Amino acid sequence: MSPDDLFSQMFSGFGFNMSGADGENGFGFSFGGRSGSGTGRTDEEIDYEVTLEDVYCGKEVTMTVERTRSCVPCKGSGGRTGATPKTCVTCEGKGKVSVLRPMGPMMARTVVPCEDCSGLGKKFREKDRCKKCHGRRVTKEKKRLVTHVERGSRDGQRIVLHGEGDQAAGQERPGDVILRLHLKPHETFEQHGLHLLTTVHITLSEALLGFERVVLTHLDGRGIRLQSPPGKAIASQSVFRVEGEGMPAYRKPEHKGNLFVLFEIEMPSPDFLASIDRRALERLLPPRKKEIVPEGGVVDEVQMEESGMEEFVEDEDDWEDEQEEEEEEEFAHGGRPECAHQ
């Protein structure tokens, strides 16, 4: 890209001032910068966060933008009727000037649009300028925009509002406003294409004897009632599929993926175990497993304490660090001693 093209993108347009009626600054928008359209226009890209509920149900987005438009009284000329612009003295009619700008630790000379004439090479005298735009050829206006996040929209998808961006001086068509969707992680559901995965916790009694109840609230607020297979015990970490309760397809909302349910079994609490007849319960439950007898017949009695995978990973990392430190120390002292020959 030439310096002229680079700075024409950097300095064209006046930008946006986002505000919303819901009190949140910018409606969750963050600016992704401007992009050239190849036609002299400058498009405004805006990052917009959406929830899984938004893309499941669809959402109406309302925002107020402050944008530039060609001045109506002077028809974008910048001067009063009948006035003739004069050659800009600052840029000598070139519309560009050379300036020194800091580039890291150095100063570099770059070419930028002339501020005095807004890059036009000509400007009106003070008395001949348009009273509305003061010779800038464009004015600012506020516009309320309404668009929709369609059902089944994807992370990273772009919604283009054609012609709703800034209109630079001398530009026939305004730029576009582009919303780039960013899907936030969900606490309950995990998305895989059109499929959804969620975890449901059931009691040990439900796992052994079955259940029929509302087990979760879907993304559109509906309760989902499930019934376990008759006469079948549900094992921990088992997965069941619910047809047609996944995500809707983009622009084909009647076509949906599936919902996959991962079951986790909640074990009885210590208080429950202390309040029941353990011997009576043991007679009802399947028998205990027989112990493993090693071939050598040697068995050690050891103690176990409750822990977790986090501690296992931490201990493994600590052991690897110790091994690396020992190897570095041995290398610094001439390496590991070799075995002596007999």
Side-chain angles (χ1 to χ4, degrees):
M1 182 180 293
S2 68
D4 293 352
D5 293 338
L6 175 63
F7 283 96
S8 66
Q9 289 189 25
M10 291 176 62
F11 290 92
S12 60
F14 287 85
F16 282 72
N17 180 20
M18 311 300 296
S19 60
D22 61 358
E24 294 185 3
N25 186 12
F27 288 87
F29 297 112
S30 63
F31 298 105
R34 296 184 174 89
S35 62
S37 59
T39 60
R41 302 196 317 270
T42 301
D43 300 332
E44 189 76 21
E45 291 193 3
I46 303 170
D47 292 334
Y48 182 55
E49 284 193 339
V50 290
T51 64
L52 201 56
E53 287 85 354
D54 294 336
V55 296
Y56 183 87
C57 304
K59 179 184 180 181
E60 182 179 277
V61 180
T62 303
M63 56 185 173
T64 300
V65 300
E66 187 178 70
R67 63 189 186 182
T68 57
R69 281 294 184 268
S70 181
C71 181
V72 175
C74 67
K75 299 179 180 180
S77 67
R80 61 178 177 81
T81 304
T84 303
K86 307 297 181 182
T87 300
C88 177
V89 177
T90 304
C91 65
E92 298 178 347
K94 298 177 182 178
K96 304 168 186 176
V97 293
S98 177
V99 297
L100 285 173
R101 290 270 174 93
M103 300 287 285
M106 302 180 298
M107 298 295 291
R109 186 169 294 278
T110 57
V111 179
V112 299
C114 177
E115 294 184 358
D116 287 348
C117 64
S118 300
L120 301 175
K122 295 183 179 182
K123 66 178 183 177
F124 290 94
R125 292 177 296 180
E126 184 68 31
K127 64 177 184 178
D128 293 333
R129 293 176 184 173
C130 172
K131 302 301 182 183
K132 179 71 174 178
C133 66
H134 304 286
R136 297 188 182 93
R137 304 171 68 185
V138 293
T139 55
K140 293 184 178 181
E141 68 174 21
K142 289 186 177 182
K143 176 70 179 295
R144 184 173 179 267
L145 303 178
V146 179
T147 188
H148 291 82
V149 175
E150 295 190 33
R151 298 182 64 188
S153 296
R154 301 174 301 277
D155 181 52
Q157 186 168 324
R158 306 196 319 164
I159 302 174
V160 181
L161 285 71
H162 296 284
E164 298 294 354
D166 282 338
Q167 183 178 19
Q171 198 176 75
E172 293 184 4
R173 183 185 179 280
D176 301 330
V177 174
I178 302 172
L179 299 185
R180 186 169 55 245
L181 302 183
H182 287 274
L183 185 61
K184 296 192 295 186
H186 200 273
E187 294 182 356
T188 305
F189 294 92
E190 184 178 339
Q191 182 186 7
H192 297 271
L194 292 182
H195 299 322
L196 290 173
L197 173 67
T198 189
T199 300
V200 170
H201 295 266
I202 59 175
T203 65
L204 180 59
S205 298
E206 290 177 318
L208 296 175
L209 305 177
F211 65 88
E212 182 182 359
R213 63 179 174 90
V214 176
V215 297
L216 60 94
T217 302
H218 213 318
L219 294 167
D220 56 358
R222 291 179 295 125
I224 299 297
R225 182 185 298 274
L226 295 180
Q227 181 180 5
S228 59
K232 179 179 176 62
I234 296 180
S236 182
Q237 297 291 309
S238 59
V239 178
F240 287 77
R241 182 181 66 252
V242 182
E243 292 285 342
E245 288 295 345
M247 293 295 296
Y250 179 65
R251 293 186 175 174
K252 294 181 180 178
E254 68 280 358
H255 177 62
K256 290 185 177 181
N258 299 324
L259 171 64
F260 291 83
V261 181
L262 172 68
F263 284 100
E264 291 278 6
I265 299 176
E266 296 178 351
M267 299 304 294
S269 66
D271 293 338
F272 172 80
L273 293 176
S275 65
I276 63 170
D277 186 340
R278 297 175 64 93
R279 291 185 178 181
L281 178 61
E282 187 172 4
R283 290 194 295 268
L284 297 174
L285 294 176
R288 302 173 186 266
K289 286 190 175 183
K290 296 181 179 180
E291 67 177 4
I292 298 173
V293 180
E295 293 183 1
V298 179
V299 176
D300 287 338
E301 297 287 342
V302 297
Q303 299 293 325
M304 66 177 183
E305 298 177 357
E306 189 172 358
S307 182
M309 289 302 297
E310 297 83 2
E311 185 177 348
F312 168 76
V313 175
E314 289 175 0
D315 287 349
E316 183 181 23
D317 292 341
D318 293 341
W319 180 82
E320 290 179 353
D321 293 341
E322 291 178 2
Q323 289 293 106
E324 291 180 0
E325 291 178 0
E326 289 180 4
E327 291 176 0
E328 291 177 359
E329 185 176 352
E330 290 171 357
F331 180 79
H333 291 82
R336 189 184 302 272
E338 298 181 356
C339 295
H341 295 284
Q342 297 295 327

